[in-house]
Amino acid sequence: MPDKSPSPVVIVTGGADGFGAAIVGRFSLQGWKVLLVDIDAEKGALKAQDDSSVLFVHGDVSDPRTWLTVKEVALHEWGRIDALINNAAIVSDAAPIHEQDMNTFDKIFAVNVKPIFLSAQAIAPFMLEQGHGVFINISSTGYTRPRAGFAIYNASKAAVTTATKTLALEYAPTIRFNCIAPAVGETQMLFASTGRSDDAAERRAKVEEMIPLKRLTRPEDVSNAAWYLASDQSSFVTGTILEVDGGRGI
């Protein structure tokens, strides 16, 4: 293991695009070293190529082997892991549950929920030995204000939220665990809500209308929240759900 990096280190899953890419950029800008984990090899490599503070690991976050690799790379390169942000997630197109199949269920829970536990198994023991650490899991307002057609996704985010609260209890006082719950965002997931048809703009307007602040969640909204929860400014915050949703959860 090399000498410990003077800069703090964060692991960000799903960091090649959307909310994750904004989180990667924000932490790099603040002087952190960033280990970006994504299943999209091309986008992940490009993101790391553009920023000398970022290293890319190509992997499936639902596979325990990916987490062993992530830990090994972070410790080999920098000798420390200060924060981990579970951002990677998927959603199916809107449909009532009788039109969904269990393969969809299995895939969504494998990507959205399983990594919450795999990451804790792999990284929490090191953080305990290190004496500090922060986990931030990206949930969704789908768990508080569910929309029809997304039962599996909403249930997966409810699981993320409950797991986060439980882990906050299990690992206090050394490691903090918190959630960010965004509303629908300006990311690729937006198409699941609005579709790609000619009336997509009208559907988007309807989604925006449901949000009191009358706009979608922007990637920088989530990256700002992640920065706060990872920083010492939130040193007395654990087991909380920070709703970054323009009032959608009210």
Side-chain angles (χ1 to χ4, degrees), residues 20-236:
I23 292 168
V24 168
R26 176 61 189 271
F27 278 73
S28 173
L29 185 65
Q30 296 294 151
W32 287 51
K33 300 297 184 182
V34 183
L35 188 62
L36 187 167
V37 186
D38 207 290
I39 201 166
D40 189 323
E42 183 176 355
K43 285 186 178 180
L46 285 174
K47 185 73 175 173
Q49 180 180 312
D50 293 339
D51 191 334
S52 61
S53 296
V54 179
L55 283 181
F56 172 59
V57 169
H58 177 236
D60 175 358
V61 293
S62 68
D63 187 339
R65 293 171 297 181
T66 294
W67 288 103
L68 293 177
T69 300
V70 165
K71 179 180 178 180
E72 288 172 2
V73 171
L75 296 183
H76 178 268
E77 294 293 330
W78 301 305
R80 62 190 293 174
I81 301 171
D82 300 276
L84 192 153
I85 303 175
N86 279 304
N87 167 76
I90 58 173
V91 64
S92 61
D93 291 339
I97 197 64
H98 70 274
E99 295 179 7
Q100 305 272 0
D101 60 45
M102 293 312 294
N103 288 332
T104 300
F105 176 92
D106 291 343
K107 187 173 182 180
I108 288 177
F109 268 72
V111 176
N112 295 6
V113 181
K114 190 176 180 182
I116 307 303
F117 299 95
L118 292 178
S119 62
Q121 285 184 326
I123 307 301
F126 173 78
M127 288 182 173
L128 289 172
E129 181 180 348
Q130 178 179 251
H132 72 275
V134 179
F135 280 74
I136 301 168
N137 299 322
I138 307 301
S139 181
S140 167
T141 49
Y143 91 99
T144 53
R145 293 293 302 275
R147 294 176 55 218
F150 298 97
I152 299 173
Y153 175 80
N154 294 338
S156 77
K157 290 303 185 178
V160 168
T161 304
T162 301
T164 300
K165 286 178 173 288
T166 307
L167 292 168
L169 293 174
E170 290 182 358
Y171 289 96
T174 306
I175 307 173
R176 296 188 294 113
F177 282 77
N178 289 295
C179 270
I180 299 171
V184 175
E186 294 178 349
T187 68
Q188 289 299 311
M189 279 193 180
L190 178 61
F191 294 118
S193 294
T194 63
R196 301 172 185 266
S197 60
D198 293 340
D199 63 349
E202 181 180 344
R203 291 176 181 271
R204 172 177 171 144
K206 289 181 179 178
V207 173
E208 291 174 337
E209 187 61 29
M210 293 188 297
I211 299 174
L213 294 187
K214 305 305 180 189
R215 70 168 174 85
L216 304 180
T217 309
R218 295 170 183 157
E220 59 265 30
D221 297 325
V222 177
S223 66
N224 289 339
W227 168 247
Y228 164 69
L229 289 174
S231 73
D232 289 340
Q233 296 172 12
S234 64
S235 62
F236 200 55

